Amino acid sequence: MTSAQASGQLIGRQDETRRIDELTGAARAGRGGALVLRGEAGIGKSALLDGAVRAAAGFGVVRACGSQYESELPFAALHQLCVPILPHLAELPARQGEILRNAFGLSTGAPDVLRIGAAALELLSCATRERPLLCLIDDCHWLDTASAKVLAFLARRVGCESVAMVFAARLPHAAGELDDLPGLFVGGLGDADARAFLAARSHVTLDEQVRQRIMAEARGNPLALLELPRAGGFAPPDASSVPSRIERSFRDRLSGLSDGARSLLTVASADPIGDPGLLWPAARRLGLDIRAAGADATATGLIEFSTRVSFCHPLARSAVYRAAAAEERRTAHRALAEVTDPVTDPDRRAWHRAQASTGPDDEVAAELERSATRAETRGGVAAAAAFLERAAELSLDGAARTERTLAAVRAKLDAGINGTAAELLTTVENAALDEYQRARVDLLRGQIAFVSHNDGHGPVFMLRAAQRLAGLDPEWSRECFLDALEMSLVVGRATGVMDMVLAAARSASPAPRSPDVLDALIRLESDGHRAGVPLLRSALDGEGTPLWTRRPALAVLLASELWDPLTHAAITEWLMKTGRESGSPLLLRLGLAQTTSCAVLSGDLGQAMEAVAEEEAIADAIDAPPVTYHRLQLAAMRGRREEALELFETVTAAAGERGAGQLIANTDWAAALLHNGLAEYPAALAAARRATAHGDLFLAGISLPELVEAAVRCGEPDAAATALESLTERTAASGTSSGLGIAAYARGLVTGVEDHYREAIEYLEESPMVPYRARAHLLYGEWLRREGRRRDCRPHLRTAHELLSGAGVEAFARRAADELRATGEKAQGRSGAAYDRLTAQEVYIARLVTTGATSKEVAARLFLSPRTIDAHLRNIFRKLGISSRRQLRDHPGLGG
């Protein structure tokens, strides 16, 4: 669309213009933001983008546009947006510069996908040092998946930058990754504005009846108001949508064109990047008279040939492409493929070759498969899936077609395109598959079911795969059983899966190196902890290769079941190291969740809050919901009643919708811990009973001490004794100081024998689980006071209060303080850790800064810009009553 048309379309757009003016005005003042314009085709979104340029005087302007024919190429739109500011790459830290070069195909190597957004944010930030920046992204419904994720990431993080981002997306198409951003619906013009627009833009003399008919058909759509008068307003009544009629209007302009002009327009429509360096060589290869064909094509008003080849509207490109016969489109793609450099742009060449194919072509399929590999190494998993899917379609060899289809399903799963993955998997159901391939199909079906809401068939499919492989590959068969367990733990839907797996695994072929972890779990279930724990320990440690390097979620569960905080910490350290080195969001988020759990159990709630903040930042960066169970543990140990109960309620509701029984069990354990701390024993007893009901590994065990204490306080000795018996069996078999100490104080509660409390304190002196050590002192002190031994109880109550208040375990600390007051002694007030006044993200930033980290280093961890970190630091200084980083480093309240 021409500039004059765009200007004319701003008639009647006062509200939209005001919103854009507010956005650019805020960005000029250093408060960046984003706005998504949504509306039907032709409604004037592109004109509003052009209007934003006029409103942003003094801004640098960068543009990108999604393309229907380029939506499979990874980071195509992001690269288009960043090209004008790529000279600033040199100003980025070396690692960030390399990440963007890899993503854009400017260098080779696998990028750290999670940090592409952070690197792009830093690039935008560098560009704003000269002047504010306006980013305009049109046709967002056609953005490639990788670009859409990064652009949404940027839009959520430019709040402290002089950056305004305006997106335009067509309805009814979904804007996908942009759906959560601030949006504005762009509707049709009102009658008065439509009449004014039509009068200003139409060069056709219209009588009033025709004008009324056009306005009625256009329904306020500005592009329709421009196009319908070309038909004189006498088109027959049409019930189709306005965009469809507009597209037909564009197609009507092709009638009477020379064959050369039509061919030139078809080639231009098939090239989504609008590069004259490709269009003219392709036209020459087709033998077109470029001068004559170009003049005729330009005269239609559909296209403009300049430094870029641009259609007047995306619907015009679509109309031209669809108007061409299938063979004409293939011819255009073939010519474009022949003039596309196979060295510098092999993926675009492969895609054009694929579009030019009339049938199966193994050579093109192999080229697409190579493109898929390149796309995956650049972080374009969705693009890899698209290349593989097309490669499968073009595969003449049936076996190769099946393999490529299964690979495409795997890639779509990795990209989170689960619905399409399921549909694609059905295409191989009737193929001639061998048992190995059928097992792979079942595994993929199971994985799709596990990540799909309200689909409980994941274990069934994965166990069927294991049974298929039992006679063919016993080792792989046993791995399938463990795959089902690991997957259930990763997605938080493990309740009941362990029972299903172990029931089926009893008939599995023996392990090649028996006993393995599957044998250990079967022995644990059938013969109890005394028989099963030694095998679990052996399986966890492995033979030179610990279990957690292959099954990290299962390894965490087993270490916790063994009451082994040292192994738990070792697994967590491995997860964090491997996650940071590989950039794997899955490993890093699991590592951060376990960092929180370790920190909660050891009483370092500041570190726990730090890990929660980083995990939430990563979840936001990849547009995924944050992990929840570690936040439950932190809230429960901290002991703030209203805050914790609100979180429990939210998590329970969400878990119920997803069928995540394991998450509900986590909530029950957390509730039991919270209510015991608050001395609300009936509520604690009810929650602990729920938490232990299903016998889940770790959760049942860690909930037993809560059940014993609550049952004793509620006067239910039989329930307490039964829970103690189960707890004793587990901890005696494990033999760790932590487990033995916790079991000893639970025994003291049931028996009232002083030596049991003393034994607990002795064991827990060697344990890193500080809150539980403090609870041993608290329970012993409470018992001594009830025995009338005030002098003896005070040292234990003081120790408990100091440990608990120092760690921020507030509810249990208040219990200790109340007990001290009952002895006539006032507990020493706690000055308060700094994190009491800070958000989790601010705690994270403050603690990193105290280690000497720069704003850039902190920004890289949280996927924010350094300016945003500086803004957070100002808030931290204000809340803590300080004014410098030096004072922050010296602040006494930022330790554990």
Side-chain angles (χ1 to χ4, degrees):
M1 185 167 299
T2 67
S3 175
Q5 289 171 328
S7 176
Q9 284 197 21
L10 293 183
I11 292 173
R13 297 301 186 196
Q14 291 83 0
D15 290 343
E16 293 88 343
T17 301
R18 177 181 54 77
R19 284 286 299 275
I20 292 172
D21 287 348
E22 289 171 355
L23 181 73
T24 54
R28 198 186 303 275
R31 302 187 306 276
L35 180 66
V36 183
L37 305 175
R38 296 181 175 88
E40 67 178 21
I43 205 67
K45 302 181 298 296
S46 299
L48 287 166
L49 295 186
D50 290 337
V53 177
R54 293 188 290 276
F59 277 63
V61 179
V62 292
R63 287 179 176 264
C65 185
S67 169
Q68 184 178 5
Y69 312 111
E70 202 171 34
S71 57
E72 295 85 4
L73 296 177
F75 303 110
L78 180 66
H79 182 232
Q80 188 182 355
L81 186 78
C82 292
V83 163
I85 56 175
L86 282 182
H88 292 284
L89 266 179
E91 301 170 34
L92 269 61
R95 175 62 178 147
Q96 288 189 327
E98 188 64 19
I99 284 169
L100 283 183
R101 290 186 185 92
N102 291 339
F104 296 155
L106 303 177
S107 65
T108 58
D112 184 343
V113 176
L114 193 60
R115 291 175 171 79
I116 289 173
L121 179 61
E122 181 64 11
L123 185 68
L124 295 186
S125 182
C126 288
T128 62
R129 290 172 190 162
E130 300 172 356
R131 51 184 174 167
L133 192 65
L134 176 64
C135 303
L136 304 175
I137 305 96
D138 206 351
D139 289 327
C140 293
H141 47 284
W142 284 330
L143 289 175
D144 64 276
T145 304
S147 290
K149 286 181 179 294
V150 175
L151 290 169
F153 169 95
L154 293 173
R156 293 193 295 270
R157 281 169 170 74
V158 294
C160 292
E161 304 292 332
S162 297
V163 176
M165 302 184 73
V166 188
F167 300 84
R170 184 187 304 176
L171 294 175
H173 300 275
E177 306 291 339
L178 310 177
D179 283 344
D180 293 333
L181 298 179
L184 180 64
F185 173 72
V186 182
L189 298 174
D191 283 350
D193 289 325
R195 183 179 293 275
F197 178 85
L198 189 58
R201 294 301 312 138
S202 177
H203 299 297
V204 180
T205 301
L206 302 171
D207 65 32
E208 185 57 26
Q209 278 190 313
V210 171
R211 182 179 291 107
Q212 289 295 337
R213 169 67 185 279
I214 289 172
M215 288 178 58
E217 287 202 10
R219 298 200 296 272
N221 185 294
L223 187 57
L225 290 167
L226 286 174
E227 289 298 315
L228 293 179
R230 293 174 181 271
F234 295 108
D238 193 341
S240 62
S241 68
V242 170
S244 298
R245 279 176 280 160
I246 295 171
E247 193 168 334
R248 271 206 303 278
S249 172
F250 286 135
R251 207 159 50 233
D252 289 343
R253 298 195 209 177
L254 302 175
S255 61
L257 274 183
S258 65
D259 290 343
R262 287 179 66 103
S263 294
L264 183 64
L265 283 168
T266 301
V267 175
S269 72
D271 169 32
I273 58 176
D275 184 358
L278 292 178
L279 176 62
W280 303 127
R284 283 193 292 270
R285 191 168 285 266
L286 293 175
L288 301 181
D289 182 338
I290 292 175
R291 186 180 298 277
D296 288 348
T298 301
T300 65
L302 293 171
I303 197 167
E304 182 178 327
F305 301 108
S306 183
T307 54
R308 306 296 293 177
V309 179
S310 54
F311 282 83
C312 65
H313 193 275
L315 284 179
R317 177 195 292 277
S318 179
V320 169
Y321 190 78
R322 294 184 194 185
E327 183 54 37
E328 291 172 330
R329 292 198 294 265
R330 286 194 289 270
T331 298
H333 283 294
R334 191 175 300 113
L336 287 165
E338 289 167 354
V339 299
T340 300
D341 192 318
V343 176
T344 61
D345 207 352
D347 300 333
R348 204 179 306 276
R349 179 177 182 272
W351 195 249
H352 280 307
R353 290 192 70 193
Q355 299 302 102
S357 298
T358 57
D361 187 324
D362 282 336
E363 181 187 341
V364 175
E367 192 173 339
L368 286 168
E369 194 168 22
R370 290 190 290 273
S371 290
T373 301
R374 283 189 294 270
E376 197 160 8
T377 61
R378 290 168 54 199
V381 185
F387 283 128
L388 286 166
E389 184 176 4
R390 182 62 173 147
E393 293 170 359
L394 294 178
S395 298
L396 184 61
D397 179 76
R401 182 167 57 252
T402 297
E403 286 299 313
R404 286 164 178 157
T405 300
L406 293 177
V409 173
R410 173 75 268 166
K412 287 183 182 294
L413 262 177
D414 289 343
I417 313 172
N418 305 324
T420 309
E423 292 172 10
L424 186 57
L425 194 57
T426 63
T427 65
V428 298
E429 285 181 343
N430 298 321
L433 305 178
D434 60 32
E435 280 300 290
Y436 284 103
Q437 290 172 324
R438 291 190 186 282
R440 288 171 62 194
V441 168
D442 282 335
L443 281 173
L444 289 168
R445 280 194 186 120
Q447 290 164 356
I448 291 169
F450 264 124
V451 297
S452 302
H453 293 320
N454 303 318
D455 189 339
H457 294 94
V460 175
F461 286 124
M462 298 184 87
L463 296 183
R464 191 164 76 185
Q467 290 157 351
R468 286 187 189 280
L469 293 166
L472 299 172
D473 191 333
E475 190 167 2
W476 188 11
S477 172
R478 294 179 75 84
E479 290 298 313
C480 289
F481 288 115
L482 296 177
D483 283 341
L485 285 177
E486 184 76 8
M487 191 80 181
S488 70
L489 291 166
V490 167
V491 301
R493 295 166 65 183
T495 299
V497 175
M498 181 71 73
D499 293 339
M500 292 177 62
V501 169
L502 297 185
R506 291 179 186 280
S507 58
S509 302
R513 292 175 298 280
S514 190
D516 64 359
V517 66
L518 205 53
D519 291 325
L521 289 167
I522 291 171
R523 178 68 68 86
L524 180 73
E525 183 194 50
S526 60
D527 300 334
H529 282 72
R530 291 187 187 281
V533 161
L535 299 185
L536 279 183
R537 170 63 65 189
S538 175
L540 189 60
D541 293 340
E543 297 179 3
T545 307
L547 177 66
W548 55 82
T549 62
R550 308 182 308 280
R551 312 275 179 197
L554 181 58
V556 164
L557 186 72
L558 298 184
S560 302
E561 178 68 15
L562 293 174
W563 298 86
D564 187 352
L566 298 180
T567 299
H568 187 187
I571 297 171
T572 300
E573 183 180 352
W574 178 87
L575 284 166
M576 292 300 299
K577 181 175 183 292
T578 307
R580 292 212 191 280
E581 288 176 352
S582 67
S584 164
L586 176 64
L587 285 180
L588 197 49
R589 294 178 72 200
L590 179 57
L592 288 163
Q594 294 310 313
T595 297
T596 302
S597 293
C598 285
V600 166
L601 295 175
S602 64
D604 188 348
L605 301 195
Q607 184 187 29
M609 292 180 70
E610 184 180 333
V612 165
E614 187 174 355
E615 191 281 323
E616 288 177 348
I618 295 171
D620 185 60
I622 62 174
D623 196 25
V627 179
T628 306
Y629 62 85
H630 61 308
R631 296 171 60 212
L632 295 169
Q633 297 164 10
L634 174 59
M637 189 66 81
R638 202 170 186 189
R640 296 184 176 182
R641 189 179 191 281
E642 299 306 320
E643 182 180 311
L645 291 179
E646 183 179 349
L647 177 62
F648 296 170
E649 184 178 350
T650 301
V651 170
T652 300
E657 291 176 5
R658 290 164 37 203
Q662 182 188 20
L663 191 52
I664 293 174
N666 265 285
T667 307
D668 290 332
W669 164 45
L673 176 63
L674 172 73
H675 288 300
N676 269 336
L678 295 166
E680 297 172 348
Y681 298 115
L685 179 58
R689 279 177 163 151
R690 292 193 302 271
T692 57
H694 299 290
D696 292 330
L697 290 182
F698 168 60
L699 286 171
I702 197 68
S703 301
L704 285 171
E706 310 306 330
L707 179 53
V708 171
E709 181 171 1
V712 167
R713 302 303 189 202
C714 290
E716 297 198 24
D718 291 343
T722 301
L724 175 62
E725 183 180 357
S726 181
L727 177 62
T728 300
E729 182 199 356
R730 293 165 186 263
T731 56
S734 301
T736 65
S737 60
S738 299
L740 292 171
I742 291 170
Y745 76 59
R747 192 172 304 110
L749 279 165
V750 172
T751 64
V753 173
E754 182 173 4
D755 283 348
H756 294 159
Y757 290 114
R758 297 171 69 88
E759 181 185 2
I761 290 170
E762 185 176 343
Y763 274 126
L764 288 168
E765 284 299 323
E766 303 173 18
S767 169
M769 299 174 71
V770 173
Y772 289 87
R773 185 195 312 161
R775 288 177 69 179
H777 283 284
L778 172 60
L779 293 170
Y780 186 25
E782 288 176 337
W783 182 85
L784 287 168
R785 188 182 71 78
R786 285 169 177 75
E787 291 293 309
R789 294 162 58 180
R790 290 194 173 192
R791 184 185 301 274
D792 293 338
C793 77
R794 284 172 180 157
H796 293 287
L797 293 174
R798 279 196 295 269
T799 298
H801 184 263
E802 289 168 5
L803 290 173
L804 293 165
S805 61
V809 183
E810 298 176 12
F812 282 102
R814 284 195 298 273
R815 264 180 58 181
D818 291 343
E819 289 290 329
L820 275 172
R821 276 193 294 274
T823 70
E825 180 176 319
K826 184 178 180 181
Q828 292 295 316
R830 172 173 170 260
S831 61
Y835 53 73
D836 286 348
R837 283 163 276 167
L838 305 179
T839 66
Q841 189 176 74
E842 288 168 346
V843 168
Y844 182 87
I845 293 168
R847 284 169 66 103
L848 270 185
V849 168
T850 62
T851 68
T854 66
S855 292
K856 277 192 176 183
E857 290 166 340
V858 179
R861 284 282 187 91
L862 285 178
F863 313 104
L864 297 169
S865 72
R867 282 198 188 101
T868 302
I869 299 302
D870 289 338
H872 280 301
L873 275 174
R874 289 192 291 273
N875 282 335
I876 292 166
F877 292 166
R878 176 179 53 77
K879 289 181 179 181
L880 298 183
I882 59 178
S883 59
S884 70
R885 289 172 182 254
R886 180 184 296 277
Q887 289 176 298
L888 187 62
R889 285 193 291 271
D890 295 337
H891 198 284
L894 283 168

